[in-house]
């Protein structure tokens, strides 16, 4: 059983247990959010001992070489002394506006800190000041916007989303770190066809990617499919229709599983609709965001319909189990 030394104390890691699980079992709380190696909130550094390579997935080579690892997916093979990572600066910014987009989604905009730079579609990790609870949210704004924009869904009994919905008000200061993630527009081939698919607040990164592509002069076709269970769950419909009028290469298809279908929209499972409308995805660059199951199913579908794996970017909004 490997021993983890943290803050001068030794903790045993049981068979098949991650460093994060072991410390939590002993009552020691490290920052964490997704608990599945996506958000990098639990970034930790091995001061002694070597973390397994699998625990460094998605980290920059420079970080991996310095023995940084993700505690939530690290099942150690040897004794390690670890310390919390402090590589990402924390930013503080005032909330400018909070708008209800529909019954269960808000849009929050806050000041863009001078020194903060990002690619639209990446995500930040928002920190609740009272207890350092940290959650990831995707950036829906683009670099030329004078603010940062997030779309947040209310999760029943969700700690961060309930706080954002019910307590945070204009003028409050929000802290965050990041950005992270590689789901963003690449300007290398402006004539390429792009497919953007997401459900619910999966629209947030897609909204950033779409506007970034248009602003950077992308002239290939861009197909956006945004889904919800029913029409009331969709949002930004008018803004997206306006964009489609303004940019003829952009096509927007709202999708609902049941009930009234919005004008120009489709009814059915969003996993099937893009294939039914477009047929093959050969040569496409694809962006899939939001619900992890939908993202995973779509990944399969678009791959089977001709998209190359390396051209499929995805941003599954994974969350830790209860
Ligand atoms: C890379 C990334 C980007 C993300 N971007 C966004 C974004 O742009 N907008 C957004 O709204 N969210 C986004 N998320 C999800 C977000 O980080 C939180 O997980 C979410 O807001 C719930 O946090 P919470 O503290 O409110 O709920 P918690 O207190 O963590 O969860 C409360 C309970 O609800 C369950 N739960 C949590 N989320 C869900 C869910 N979606 N469906 C069903 N059960 C759930 C938990 O298992 C738990 O039992 C993203 C996640 C990742 C990893
Ligand atoms: S990567 Fe470890 S908690 Fe998200």
């Amino acid at each position: 059983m490997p021993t983890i030394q943290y803050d001068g104390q030794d903790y045993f890691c049981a068979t098949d247990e991650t460093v994060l699980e072991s410390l939590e079992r002993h009552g020691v709380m490290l920052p964490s959010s997704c608990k599945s190696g996506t958000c990098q909130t639990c970034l930790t550094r091995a001061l002694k001992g070597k973390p397994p390579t699998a625990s460094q997935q998605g980290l920059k080579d420079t970080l991996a070489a310095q023995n940084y690892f993700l505690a939530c997916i690290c099942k150690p093979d040897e004794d390690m002394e670890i310390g919390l990572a402090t590589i990402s600066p924390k930013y503080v910014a005032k909330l400018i506006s909070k708008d209800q987009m529909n019954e269960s989604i808000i849009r929050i905009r806050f000041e863009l800190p001078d020194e903060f730079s990002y690619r639209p579609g990446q995500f930040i990790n928002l920190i609740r000041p009272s207890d350092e609870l940290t959650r990831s949210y995707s950036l829906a704004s683009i670099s030329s916007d004078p603010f940062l924009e997030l779309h947040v869904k209310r999760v029943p009994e969700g700690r961060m989303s309930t706080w954002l919905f019910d307590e945070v008000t204009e003028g409050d200061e929000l802290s965050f770190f990041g950005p992270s993630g590689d789901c963003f527009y690449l300007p290398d081939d402006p004539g390429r066809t792009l497919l953007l698919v997401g459900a619910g607040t999966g629209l947030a990164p897609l909204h950033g990617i779409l506007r970034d592509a248009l602003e950077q002069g992308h002239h290939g076709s861009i197909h956006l499919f945004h889904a919800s269970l029913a029409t009331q769950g969709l949002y930004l419909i008018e803004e997206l229709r306006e964009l489609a009028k303004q940019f003829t290469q952009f096509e927007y298809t709202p999708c609902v599983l049941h009930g009234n279908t919005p004008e120009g929209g489709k009814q059915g499972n969003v996993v099937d609709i893009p294939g039914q409308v477009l047929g093959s995805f050969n040569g496409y660059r694809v962006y899939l965001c939001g619900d992890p199951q939908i993202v995973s199913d779509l990944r399969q579908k678009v791959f089977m319909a001709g998209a190359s794996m390396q051209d499929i970017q995805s941003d599954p909004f994974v969350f830790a189990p209860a």
Side-chain angles (χ1 to χ4, degrees):
M1 257 196 278
T3 306
I4 305 302
Q5 193 182 99
Y6 173 61
D7 222 6
Q9 295 284 327
D10 286 345
Y11 303 98
F12 292 109
C13 220
T15 313
D16 243 18
E17 198 174 41
T18 65
V19 169
L20 187 69
E21 285 165 345
S22 165
L23 292 182
E24 286 186 349
R25 182 167 56 80
H26 289 95
V28 180
M29 303 312 282
L30 295 189
S32 72
S33 177
C34 71
K35 298 193 173 173
S36 61
T38 305
C39 69
Q40 301 189 1
T41 302
C42 63
L43 188 68
T44 308
R45 188 175 187 184
L47 307 171
K48 284 189 193 147
K50 182 113 188 80
T53 313
S55 66
Q56 298 178 311
Q57 73 169 33
L59 296 187
K60 287 183 190 146
D61 292 347
T62 45
L63 290 182
Q66 295 172 79
N67 286 339
Y68 284 93
F69 65 97
L70 300 173
C72 70
I73 52 167
C74 178
K75 295 180 179 176
D77 313 314
E78 56 182 270
D79 293 350
M80 289 198 293
E81 183 185 339
I82 64 165
L84 284 187
T86 48
I87 47 155
S88 187
K90 260 191 210 168
Y91 299 92
V92 177
K94 273 207 177 102
L95 188 80
I96 302 170
S97 63
K98 181 162 102 171
D99 300 297
Q100 196 85 34
M101 307 307 280
N102 62 32
E103 207 185 325
S104 60
I105 294 175
I106 49 170
R107 175 179 69 192
I108 60 179
R109 287 182 172 164
F110 47 102
E111 291 169 344
L112 171 67
D114 285 342
E115 60 293 8
F116 181 73
S117 69
Y118 68 102
R119 310 287 291 266
Q122 286 191 294
F123 64 90
I124 55 168
N125 287 310
L126 209 57
I127 305 161
R128 185 167 69 176
S130 59
D131 57 359
E132 303 272 308
L133 177 79
T134 305
R135 293 287 180 269
S136 311
Y137 293 98
S138 304
L139 288 159
S141 43
I142 57 174
S143 311
S144 57
D145 287 330
F147 50 78
L148 294 174
E149 175 174 317
L150 309 178
H151 303 167
V152 181
K153 180 179 89 160
R154 188 193 276 278
V155 170
E157 295 179 37
R159 286 158 289 171
M160 182 65 92
S161 57
T162 304
W163 176 69
L164 290 169
F165 266 77
D166 298 344
E167 292 184 44
V168 169
T169 55
E170 280 171 33
D172 284 356
E173 286 188 332
L174 296 178
S175 17
F176 64 93
F177 62 91
S180 302
D182 49 15
C183 197
F184 49 76
Y185 175 68
L186 295 170
D188 58 340
D189 189 355
R192 194 123 182 231
T193 303
L194 306 184
L195 172 67
L196 280 52
V197 194
T201 48
L203 181 60
L206 299 177
H207 186 254
I209 293 164
L210 166 69
R211 289 180 59 231
D212 191 29
L214 294 172
E215 187 173 83
Q216 295 205 47
H218 191 91
H219 54 80
S221 303
I222 307 177
H223 302 275
L224 167 66
F225 294 84
H226 181 221
S228 184
L229 292 176
T231 302
Q232 311 83 278
L234 295 168
Y235 64 102
L236 291 179
I237 297 182
E238 287 316 316
E239 186 190 305
L240 291 166
R241 283 184 178 145
E242 273 308 308
L243 273 181
K245 271 191 211 152
Q246 202 184 335
F247 296 92
T248 50
Q249 71 274 41
F250 168 51
E251 196 176 4
Y252 162 56
T253 310
C255 306
V256 292
L257 193 58
H258 49 69
N260 293 337
T261 310
E263 197 187 320
K266 296 276 173 202
Q267 194 182 94
N269 188 338
V270 69
V271 172
D272 301 318
I273 293 173
Q276 289 160 358
V277 174
L278 299 166
S280 158
F281 301 114
N282 202 356
Y284 278 49
R285 184 166 282 152
V286 180
Y287 296 91
L288 311 171
C289 302
D291 180 90
Q293 189 59 53
I294 295 179
V295 167
S296 160
D297 293 350
L298 271 163
R299 213 178 159 78
Q300 278 292 109
K301 283 264 175 184
V302 296
F303 173 66
M304 297 304 283
S308 149
M309 259 311 163
Q310 70 197 22
D311 289 330
I312 306 175
Q313 304 296 330
S314 61
D315 199 4
F317 293 179
V318 276
F319 53 89

